[in-house]
């Protein structure tokens, strides 16, 4: 007997949408045994990881604060992924967006006005777009794989941010700490819930998800993106320019990542510091796939992944789990999602071993 | 017909039939291959050659009929069983890992584990014995196509086959490589190995083969001695002389030139593709122009160049109503009135995972205004899709059904209908009736004729010569990327068309050699 992998002719839709739930369940089960093996009370650890953050209004507001960048970036990435454009460098685009928007805030420091914040948003978007334009140009002009270029540029961006906050943008009154001045009030996103950190960006994130859904479902641009992803030859047949779609996807995902970065520095952080994101740009890749590359699904998966950040912190405080547990959970989730997706597209069949190469003789 | 040989045939095929949905690919096929004989299997595309060899090699199982091996009836359940009998097959497209060495590739093809040093020795022995120079340590990606083919042949020979099946082996070779291959095959035949040689190239078969079995429409139409026949007479057998009696529509009155192609040359994107070489033709309003030829002779490349999916070097290589459109993409050409139907339905002419309504938007949004200020007019798209379904009798539960859920013939009707109902001024269509039943074929032919009558210039690329003879006013033949001069269909002789399709065209020999040398240069450039 041997195992044989067969492609399914028709992909069952209900299976496609139920695998994220299956993946979450498997992650919880795996987490249970990991905690057990580490010598923690698994039920208590899981409670603090998944349940206790949801028991207070503050917990929910923090969830929204963490989910906002994930949703904003995830929606942009999902559009690209639908067209087989693999922007893995959202973290870098987020960083450059934060730098661009932050520089605007610092330039207006002390004389902020009503236009400061909108200008910062535009600068953030433009920064992310410009940074994503590099892989777009290399891909469309020279056929360079955007996975490599976008990923590698991430590290450049992070180092560039460090250079700035250790150097020219360092707060002159900051006791030599590597951070910029605190942004002025008019350069900060307004809070929408008193006593929490929930800012205007969380609502904008939801609006972006809805807009992304409208674009992908009802417009010719979304149609072009979907056709290119599903059947590149058909896209060319229809006269859709593949390189224009690649440009569009990278600029869109880069611009949104830049906006998310700006929202971080103009929201919860309020200044430029060397580390502005706990890997939102990478986690958003998981968010996009977990949400089935569907903008509305991404709202749900963004909330779930935000929970993994907050749950990780809570479990750290309450149970004394190491910080790495957040990354472990995110990794497990992606692993189980990809594994169960494989089973959606293929099925395993036991097969009798191939008969010995021997032609059956029938007759004389 | 020549008298059957007295000895027991190595392989005898008796009454083999194989039916696929909508087509009888093999219809009670009988033939036999003697030991040491080089036997040609000759026929047009779709004549059933591939199906037949797949049955012999155990890839397909016949619906009816039997195979005998050295006089004993056998069932070949799968390729393993075929190899155990002593049947080896060299496929047209190779299955080699480019990043591995020759030896590693050979070892992967062996059924059992084997000592690598011993295997390397055997590879050297076999390659020397049969004039197939091959270094086992070379990486495959550094080898030319001819050298790669040698790996496949050596791989077969290591199993000491008694019957070697070669599927269109020369389609990728230079003339020099062909000559070398023939020497090897003659050597093998001299040792008693039977060779089943599949081809449509008449001159090659005359040069190499002892006997030829000619298939047409899944049936054996003749078995002959190619050396005693002329290329002309074999072409006639392959294509069928009864075609002359096909009734054609009355030629429309041709108007002004709508589509003009002049000196179009284009390198193929595909590894096994065919480059277009200096193609010129013109189609007038009201005319149906046919392009005949055996598959893989540049039809796909020509289709891409005409539709605008690939751009010509300069604008005037293609003129649409006098306007140079060589540098315009498919969408722009469609706006100007040039619509097209590609050969491949799924993934090219249609997106399988999308609904029929969305697939209507795919190519019709320009001409029918299915998009207003970025938004797709879903209602209008669904209405247009419904109109196609109704006019072309597409069997589907509705326009929300996915294109992939339709049968090949129904999807074909949908795609052809989608382009026709856009009211193009020039329509380029590949294999318009591929896979559809006779009734639907008539509908499509009628629609094409009606289009022409309305002043549309229609270009039909097809491997079905009957179809071209029935519906075109003029036609030309494409062979290795070169288009013959056009002839009036009514006056064309089937023999002439057959010769052109078989590669015996009006080119001077040195031109053929030059083209082949260019091919070889391109190949080595590709390898480098």
């Amino acid at each position: 007997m041997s195992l044989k992998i067969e492609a399914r002719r028709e992909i069952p839709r209900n299976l496609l949408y139920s695998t994220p739930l299956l993946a979450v369940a498997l992650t919880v089960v795996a987490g249970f045994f990991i905690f057990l093996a580490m010598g923690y009370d698994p039920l208590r650890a899981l409670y603090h990881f998944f349940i206790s953050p949801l028991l207070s209004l503050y917990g929910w507001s923090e969830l929204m604060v963490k989910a906002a960048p994930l949703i904003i970036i995830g929606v942009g990435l999902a559009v690209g992924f639908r067209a087989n454009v693999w922007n893995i460098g959202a973290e870098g685009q987020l960083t450059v967006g934060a730098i661009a928007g932050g520089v605007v805030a610092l330039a207006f420091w002390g004389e902020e006005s009503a236009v400061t914040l909108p200008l910062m948003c535009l600068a953030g978007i433009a920064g992310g777009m410009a940074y994503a334009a590099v892989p777009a140009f290399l891909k469309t002009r020279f056929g360079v794989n955007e996975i490599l270029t976008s990923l590698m540029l991430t590290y450049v961006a992070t180092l560039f941010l460090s250079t700035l906050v250790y150097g020219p943008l360092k707060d002159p009154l900051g006791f030599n700490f590597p951070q910029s001045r605190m942004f002025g009030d008019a350069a900060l996103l307004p809070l929408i819930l008193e006593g929490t950190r929930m800012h205007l960006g969380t609502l904008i994130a939801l609006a972006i998800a809805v807009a992304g859904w409208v674009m992908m479902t009802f417009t010719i641009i979304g149609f072009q993106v979907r056709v290119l992803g599903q059947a590149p030859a058909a896209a060319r047949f229809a006269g859709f320019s593949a390189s224009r779609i690649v440009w569009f996807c990278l600029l869109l995902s880069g611009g949104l990542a830049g906006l998310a970065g700006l929202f971080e520095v103009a929201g919860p952080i309020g200044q430029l510091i060397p580390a502005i994101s706990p890997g939102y740009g990478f986690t958003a890749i998981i968010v996009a796939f977990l949400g089935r590359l569907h903008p509305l699904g991404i709202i749900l998966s963004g909330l779930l992944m935000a929970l993994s950040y907050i749950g990780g912190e809570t479990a750290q405080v309450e149970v004394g789990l190491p910080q790495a547990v957040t990354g472990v959970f995110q990794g497990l989730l992606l692993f189980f999602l990809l594994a169960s997706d494989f089973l959606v597209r293929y099925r395993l069949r036991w097969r009798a071993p191939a008969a010995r190469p021997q032609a059956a003789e029938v007759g004389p | 017909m020549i008298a059957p040989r007295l000895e027991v045939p190595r392989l005898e095929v008796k009454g083999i039939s194989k039916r696929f949905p909508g087509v009888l690919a093999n219809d009670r096929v009988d033939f036999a291959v003697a030991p040491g004989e080089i036997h040609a299997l000759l026929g047009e595309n779709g004549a059933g050659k591939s199906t037949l060899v797949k049955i012999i090699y155990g890839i397909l199982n016949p619906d009816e009929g039997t195979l005998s091996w050295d006089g004993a009836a056998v069932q070949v359940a799968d390729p393993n069983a075929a190899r155990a009998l002593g049947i080896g097959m060299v496929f047209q497209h190779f299955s080699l890992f480019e990043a591995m060495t020759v030896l590693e590739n050979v070892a992967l093809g062996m059924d059992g584990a084997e000592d690598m040093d011993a295997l390397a020795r055997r590879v050297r022995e076999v390659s020397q014995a049969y004039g197939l120079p091959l270094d086992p340590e070379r990486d495959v990606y550094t080898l030319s196509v001819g050298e790669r083919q040698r790996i496949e042949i050596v791989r077969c020979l290591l199993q000491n086959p008694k019957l070697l099946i070669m599927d269109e082996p020369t389609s990728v070779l230079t003339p020099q490589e062909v000559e070398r291959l023939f020497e090897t095959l003659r050597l093998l035949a001299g040792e008693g190995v039977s060779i089943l040689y599949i081809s449509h190239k008449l001159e090659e078969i005359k040069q190499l083969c002892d006997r030829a079995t000619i298939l047409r429409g899944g049936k054996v139409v003749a078995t002959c001695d190619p050396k005693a026949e002329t290329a002309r007479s074999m072409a006639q057998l392959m294509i069928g002389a009864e075609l002359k009696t096909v009734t054609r529509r009355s030629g429309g009155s041709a108007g002004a030139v709508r589509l003009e192609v002049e000196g179009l040359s284009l390198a193929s994107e595909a590894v096994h593709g065919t480059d277009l070489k200096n193609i010129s033709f013109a189609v007038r309003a009201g005319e149906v122009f046919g392009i005949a030829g055996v598959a893989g002779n540049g039809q796909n490349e020509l289709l891409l160049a005409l539709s605008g999916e690939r751009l010509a070097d300069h604008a005037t290589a293609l003129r649409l109503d006098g306007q140079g459109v060589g540098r315009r993409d498919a969408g722009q050409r469609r706006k100007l009135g040039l619509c097209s139907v590609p050969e491949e339905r799924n993934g090219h002419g249609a997106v399988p995972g999308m609904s029929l309504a969305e697939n209507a938007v795919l190519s019709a949004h320009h001409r029918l205004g299915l998009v207003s200020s970025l938004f797709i007019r879903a209602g209008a798209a669904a209405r247009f899709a419904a109109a196609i379904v109704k006019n072309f009798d597409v069997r589907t539960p509705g326009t929300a059904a996915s294109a992939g859920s339709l049968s090949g013939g129904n999807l074909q009707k949908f795609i052809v209908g989608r382009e026709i109902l856009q009211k193009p001024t020039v329509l380029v269509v590949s294999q318009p009736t591929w896979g559809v039943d006779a009734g639907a074929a008539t509908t499509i032919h009628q629609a094409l004729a009606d289009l022409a009558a309305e002043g549309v210039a229609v270009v039909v690329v097809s491997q079905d010569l009957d179809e071209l003879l029935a519906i075109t006013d003029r036609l030309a033949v494409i062979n290795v990327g070169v288009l013959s001069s056009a002839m009036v269909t009514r006056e064309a002789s089937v023999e002439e068309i057959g010769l052109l399709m078989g590669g015996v065209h009006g080119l001077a020999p040195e031109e053929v050699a030059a083209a082949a040398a260019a091919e070889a240069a391109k190949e080595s450039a590709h390898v480098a």
Side-chain angles (χ1 to χ4, degrees):
Chain A
M1 296 286 266
S2 64
L3 259 183
K4 187 162 178 265
I5 296 161
E6 275 183 356
R8 288 183 199 263
R9 282 218 192 87
E10 193 97 6
I11 292 171
R13 225 144 236 274
N14 49 355
L15 220 54
L16 193 65
Y17 290 116
S18 58
T19 45
L21 300 176
L22 179 67
V24 171
L26 288 170
T27 305
V28 170
V29 172
F32 181 91
F33 287 106
I34 290 173
F35 293 147
L36 197 64
M38 289 167 71
Y40 298 99
D41 175 358
L43 286 177
R44 185 155 166 270
L46 285 175
Y47 172 82
H48 284 293
F49 202 99
F50 286 106
I51 310 288
S52 76
L54 301 179
L55 296 180
S56 66
L57 182 65
Y58 181 77
W60 276 96
S61 71
E62 279 299 295
L63 200 64
M64 286 304 297
V65 169
K66 293 263 194 267
L70 293 175
I71 293 169
I72 295 172
I73 303 170
V75 168
L77 292 183
V79 172
F81 294 167
R82 285 280 197 104
N84 288 343
V85 174
W86 306 104
N87 179 6
I88 307 297
E91 184 78 2
Q93 293 136 24
L94 173 153
T95 306
V96 173
I99 294 171
V103 164
V104 171
L106 295 171
F108 281 90
W109 193 80
E111 41 199 281
E112 291 93 347
S113 66
V115 297
T116 310
L117 193 60
L119 265 183
M120 286 165 64
C121 291
L122 290 179
I125 293 170
M129 280 185 170
Y131 213 53
V134 178
F137 173 76
L138 291 174
K139 168 142 180 127
T140 52
R141 185 75 177 77
F142 302 109
V144 182
N145 188 325
E146 74 280 13
I147 296 178
L148 295 176
T149 48
S150 64
L151 177 63
M152 292 192 291
L153 281 171
T154 297
Y155 305 107
V156 180
T158 317
L159 292 171
F160 181 56
L161 174 63
S162 295
T163 310
L164 291 179
V165 292
Y166 279 98
L169 295 185
K170 190 160 61 179
D171 184 355
L173 305 174
F175 306 104
N176 217 19
F177 276 104
Q179 55 193 31
S180 75
R181 291 179 198 266
M182 295 297 294
F183 298 169
D185 282 349
L188 292 175
L189 286 165
L191 296 178
I192 54 173
L193 201 59
E194 211 49 49
T196 70
R197 299 199 298 162
M198 198 152 126
H199 54 79
L200 186 61
T202 57
L203 290 184
I204 295 176
L206 297 179
I208 285 172
V210 172
W213 173 69
V214 170
M215 185 194 81
M216 289 305 288
T217 314
F218 300 110
T219 72
I220 187 73
I221 300 166
F223 182 72
Q224 294 189 2
V225 164
R226 287 185 288 137
V227 171
L228 183 70
Q230 291 183 36
R236 192 164 71 160
F237 168 70
F240 302 155
S241 157
S243 60
R244 271 173 57 190
I245 300 173
V246 169
W247 270 103
F248 173 78
C249 290
L250 279 164
L251 290 184
L252 179 80
S253 53
L256 286 177
L259 183 66
L262 179 272
F263 281 178
E264 284 308 292
V265 294
I269 302 175
Q271 65 186 141
L272 285 179
I273 55 176
I276 49 177
S277 149
Y280 287 138
F282 295 119
T283 308
I285 299 169
I286 309 179
V287 168
F289 280 106
L290 197 63
R292 305 275 77 160
L293 305 184
H294 190 295
L296 302 183
I298 285 169
I299 295 179
L300 297 177
S301 62
L303 287 168
L304 180 70
M305 292 309 281
L307 180 61
S308 76
Y309 279 116
I310 298 168
E313 285 169 20
T314 318
Q316 213 180 322
V317 174
E318 300 287 337
V319 195
L321 285 174
Q323 194 198 353
V325 78
T326 304
V328 170
F329 262 77
Q330 292 181 354
L332 279 176
L333 192 55
L334 184 62
F335 172 82
F336 284 122
L337 183 71
L338 294 177
S340 44
D341 267 5
F342 180 81
L343 292 176
V344 171
R345 278 165 222 289
Y346 300 88
R347 65 166 147 235
L348 298 176
R349 285 243 310 239
W350 287 103
R351 200 181 61 152
R356 263 315 299 155
Q358 196 82 69
E361 301 272 337
V362 293
Chain B
M1 291 273 189
I2 58 172
R5 301 185 178 205
L6 293 176
E7 58 202 307
V8 177
R10 173 69 35 88
L11 172 77
E12 192 172 9
V13 171
K14 277 179 282 191
I16 290 280
S17 293
K18 179 75 186 174
R19 180 181 292 280
F20 293 113
V23 57
L24 189 55
N26 283 162
D27 186 2
R28 297 189 298 276
V29 172
D30 294 307
F31 80 100
V33 187
E37 182 191 27
I38 305 182
H39 192 113
L41 209 50
L42 176 65
E44 286 186 279
N45 282 92
K49 293 173 298 185
S50 303
T51 306
L52 187 56
V53 292
K54 280 180 184 162
I55 289 172
I56 295 171
Y57 196 58
I59 298 170
L60 293 174
N61 292 317
D63 295 338
E64 283 166 36
T66 54
L67 299 176
S68 309
W69 182 257
D70 288 335
V74 287
Q75 272 181 343
V76 186
D78 56 34
N80 282 332
R83 281 195 291 272
L85 281 174
I87 302 175
M89 181 155 175
V90 176
F91 291 89
Q92 193 176 1
H93 297 300
F94 316 139
S95 42
L96 297 171
F97 292 92
E98 301 217 341
M100 294 180 150
T101 66
V102 171
L103 183 62
E104 286 164 340
N105 270 285
V106 171
L108 279 172
M110 307 298 284
D111 280 331
E114 194 146 351
D115 175 49
M116 288 301 263
D117 291 333
L119 189 62
R121 230 173 3 256
R122 285 179 61 207
V123 169
R124 284 207 183 82
E125 280 164 20
V126 168
S127 67
Q128 264 159 23
Y130 295 100
L132 298 161
L134 203 57
D135 177 359
E137 307 304 328
R138 281 276 290 279
D139 286 328
V140 169
Y141 70 87
T142 64
L143 302 180
S144 75
V145 176
E147 289 172 305
R148 291 175 194 211
Q149 188 181 53
R150 278 180 221 149
I151 305 176
E152 296 273 7
I153 298 174
V154 166
R155 189 141 83 174
C156 284
L157 293 185
L158 285 174
Q159 324 234 8
N160 299 317
K162 294 191 209 156
L163 171 68
L164 189 59
I165 303 173
M166 307 282 297
D167 188 6
E168 307 257 352
T170 58
S171 57
V172 292
L173 300 184
T174 65
Q176 293 75 12
E177 286 174 326
V178 168
E179 201 39 60
R180 201 166 212 170
L181 173 69
F182 284 4
E183 279 166 28
T184 303
L185 294 181
R186 288 193 189 103
L187 195 61
L188 281 166
E191 293 180 358
V193 177
S194 305
I195 290 161
L196 190 55
Y197 187 89
I198 298 147
S199 181
H200 55 77
K201 295 185 181 168
L202 305 166
E203 289 297 347
E204 274 182 9
I205 287 173
K206 271 179 71 65
Q207 216 184 321
L208 180 72
C209 300
D210 306 318
R211 269 201 300 172
T213 293
I214 301 173
L215 289 178
R216 174 168 159 69
K219 286 186 181 144
V220 174
V221 291
T223 302
C224 62
D225 176 0
K227 297 198 168 72
E229 301 278 335
T230 59
R232 193 168 285 263
S233 63
M234 284 197 291
Q236 211 165 1
L237 287 168
M238 178 166 86
I239 290 163
E242 78 274 16
L243 289 183
K244 283 177 181 170
T245 59
V246 170
T247 52
R248 287 191 285 269
R249 70 187 188 86
S250 58
S253 55
V257 170
R258 297 214 96 146
L259 174 70
E260 191 176 7
V261 179
E262 206 181 343
L264 174 70
S265 294
L266 199 61
S268 175
E269 297 170 308
V271 179
H272 289 289
T274 306
D275 299 344
L276 299 179
K277 298 175 197 92
N278 199 20
I279 287 187
S280 299
F281 66 95
V283 189
R284 293 172 177 279
E287 192 178 38
V288 181
F289 185 85
I291 293 177
V294 174
N297 272 294
Q299 288 95 329
N300 286 338
E301 288 78 3
L302 182 58
L303 243 297
L304 294 178
L306 292 178
S307 69
E309 291 165 75
R310 293 201 60 208
L311 302 184
D313 291 338
H314 49 100
T316 54
L318 263 97
R319 284 201 206 88
L320 199 58
D321 289 322
Q323 185 186 353
V325 295
R327 303 293 300 162
R328 303 287 185 100
D329 72 24
Q332 290 166 324
R333 288 187 201 181
R334 213 169 264 127
K335 266 188 226 164
L336 293 170
L338 190 157
C339 291
S340 65
V341 176
E343 182 181 335
E344 181 64 42
R345 324 309 178 196
N346 270 320
H348 192 173
V351 184
M354 289 189 173
S355 71
L356 292 183
E358 286 180 297
N359 271 294
V361 176
L362 187 69
S363 75
H365 67 277
H366 286 304
R367 293 186 72 73
L368 298 182
L370 297 182
V371 174
S372 70
S373 61
L374 288 184
F375 282 85
I376 292 172
R377 293 169 53 210
R383 278 194 297 281
F384 177 54
I388 303 168
V389 167
K390 181 161 168 286
N391 283 317
F392 288 85
D393 187 30
V394 180
R395 308 281 162 81
T396 168
T399 57
S402 75
S405 70
L406 265 61
S407 73
N410 271 311
L411 184 55
Q412 171 66 1
K413 287 189 272 184
F414 181 82
I415 294 172
V416 173
R418 178 183 68 192
E419 304 305 323
I420 288 177
L421 290 186
Q422 289 182 47
K423 305 204 177 308
T425 57
V426 175
L427 179 67
V428 179
V429 43
S430 175
Q431 307 277 46
T433 55
W434 172 88
V436 306
D437 58 50
T442 312
T443 310
I444 290 174
H445 286 162
Q446 192 58 51
L448 292 176
D450 293 349
L451 270 187
E454 289 163 20
V456 176
V458 180
V459 179
V460 180
V461 180
S462 177
Q463 287 146 37
D464 183 348
L465 201 53
D466 297 9
E467 172 170 63
L468 291 179
L469 291 173
I471 66 171
T472 64
D473 299 307
R474 288 188 305 139
L475 62 81
V477 178
I478 191 165
N479 182 265
V480 291
V482 178
L483 191 70
S484 75
S485 49
M487 50 198 124
V488 176
T489 308
R490 193 188 303 257
E491 296 158 5
S493 80
V494 170
E495 291 85 351
E496 190 182 355
I497 298 170
L499 285 173
L500 288 167
M501 284 170 63
V504 190
H505 44 84
L507 274 183
E510 55 269 24
E511 277 182 74
V512 177
E519 193 78 17
K522 179 193 143 216
E523 191 54 51
S524 56
H526 172 75
V527 168

